[in-house]
């Protein structure tokens, strides 16, 4: 996951999900809420292409949600939901 703060509604990101069977590549945008020491984010993402067993997979308008500590040292939760085509 690579994040660019201060872009779009709060941050834009790109990602690669890897398994032994292949990869999925995508990008998206999230709004950020910093009202506590936990950052909450909500937005959308697209899966732009895949490789290996996932070479025909695509998705648009997936829902992204999650949260994590402001300092980021302990990681964060990321949920990506929606339908994958292909």
């Amino acid at each position: 996951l690579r994040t660019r703060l201060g872009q779009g509604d709060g941050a834009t990101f790109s990602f690669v999900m890897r398994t032994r069977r292949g990869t999925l590549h995508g990008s998206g945008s999230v709004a950020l809420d910093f009202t506590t020491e936990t950052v909450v984010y909500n937005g959308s993402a697209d899966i732009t292409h895949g490789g290996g067993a996932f070479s025909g997979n695509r998705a648009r308008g997936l829902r992204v949600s999650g949260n994590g500590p402001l300092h980021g040292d302990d990681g964060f939760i990321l949920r990506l939901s929606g339908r994958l085509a292909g």
Side-chain angles (χ1 to χ4, degrees):
L1 179 68
R2 175 170 284 163
T3 305
R4 293 168 295 283
L5 295 174
Q7 305 282 320
D9 291 332
T12 59
F13 61 93
S14 58
F15 60 89
V16 178
M17 293 185 280
R18 298 181 198 281
T19 73
R20 286 184 283 215
R21 297 186 58 220
T23 59
L24 289 171
H25 300 255
S27 61
S29 178
V30 291
L32 303 171
D33 180 358
F34 296 99
T35 56
T36 66
E37 290 188 18
T38 299
V39 179
V40 177
Y41 42 91
N42 290 290
S44 64
D46 299 329
I47 292 178
T48 57
H49 65 283
F54 308 115
S55 62
N57 294 137
R58 308 279 184 278
R60 295 189 59 77
L62 298 173
R63 184 173 187 273
V64 177
S65 62
N67 60 70
L70 186 58
H71 54 73
D73 295 339
D74 298 326
F76 53 91
I77 296 169
L78 175 67
R79 290 177 212 89
L80 187 61
S81 58
R83 293 192 178 265
L84 186 63

